[in-house]
């Protein structure tokens, strides 16, 4: 297997968009935690926060790379990729508004769209599908956080 060709013009589009979404998610989601979870409240002051934030940025950089090595995209793939960037912002904003059940449904939709998009990309370039896995992990975490915030009073 050879190294895939990266479409530089696509990378110029997807990398800033992905990193901007990741930064917005880190900024908007800094105060989201289950009620009564003292450990979650101490997290922003923890030295782990920088490492976790960096890992989150890398996950979205992998997303941008995945989007850049399988171009040109079909219309449905482009829609899936843009939804993969927009839906997590929707989840965070819904959680801040305390609409946990709606956030849970949006997180589930985000996860389904990411899995479908990763499958579509992997059919053309297996590495592209693998590079989507870190963001799929973020979607799973988002779904679990939404479920936790919905289940707790």
């Amino acid at each position: 297997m050879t190294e895939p060709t990266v479409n530089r013009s696509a990378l110029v589009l997807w990398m800033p968009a992905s990193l901007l979404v990741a930064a917005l998610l880190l900024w908007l989601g800094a105060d989201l935690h289950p009620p009564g979870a003292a450990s979650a409240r101490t997290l922003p002051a923890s030295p782990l926060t920088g490492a976790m934030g960096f890992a989150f940025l890398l996950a979205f950089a992998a997303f941008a790379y995945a989007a850049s090595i399988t171009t040109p995209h079909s219309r449905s793939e482009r829609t899936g990729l843009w939804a993969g960037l927009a839906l997590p912002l929707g989840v965070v904003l819904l959680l801040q508004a305390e609409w946990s059940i709606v956030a849970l449904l949006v997180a589930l939709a985000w996860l389904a769209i990411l899995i479908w998009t990763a499958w579509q990309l992997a059919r053309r370039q297996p590495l592209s599908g693998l590079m989507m896995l870190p963001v799929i992990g973020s979607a799973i975490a988002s779904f679990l956080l939404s479920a936790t915030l919905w289940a707790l009073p």
Side-chain angles (χ1 to χ4, degrees), residues 7-75:
N7 181 329
R8 302 279 183 214
S9 61
L11 190 62
V12 166
L13 168 71
W14 289 109
M15 189 62 75
S18 297
L19 293 179
L20 177 65
V21 167
L24 282 171
L25 288 171
L26 289 170
W27 179 64
L28 291 171
D31 292 329
L32 287 177
H33 53 78
S39 63
R41 278 193 281 276
T42 60
L43 190 58
S46 166
L48 276 168
T49 303
M52 289 175 24
F54 184 69
F56 198 64
L57 289 172
L58 286 178
F60 274 87
F63 177 89
Y65 184 76
S68 302
I69 60 177
T70 58
T71 54
H73 299 296
S74 68
R75 182 180 180 145

Side-chain angles (χ1 to χ4, degrees), residues 30-143:
D31 292 329
L32 287 177
H33 53 78
S39 63
R41 278 193 281 276
T42 60
L43 190 58
S46 166
L48 276 168
T49 303
M52 289 175 24
F54 184 69
F56 198 64
L57 289 172
L58 286 178
F60 274 87
F63 177 89
Y65 184 76
S68 302
I69 60 177
T70 58
T71 54
H73 299 296
S74 68
R75 182 180 180 145
S76 61
E77 289 171 347
R78 275 194 311 273
T79 302
L81 289 167
W82 282 115
L85 293 178
L87 288 176
L89 291 171
V91 170
V92 171
L93 293 173
L94 288 168
L95 287 174
Q96 285 181 338
E98 297 183 5
W99 291 6
S100 300
I101 189 66
V102 179
L104 179 68
L105 296 173
V106 172
L108 187 60
W110 180 38
L111 179 59
I113 287 171
L114 283 176
I115 291 171
W116 179 85
T117 303
W119 176 255
Q120 295 300 316
L121 296 178
R123 288 178 39 207
R124 286 191 285 144
Q125 176 55 256
L127 182 61
S128 184
L130 288 174
M131 296 297 283
M132 296 283 284
L133 289 177
V135 177
I136 290 172
S138 297
I140 292 169
S142 173
F143 175 74

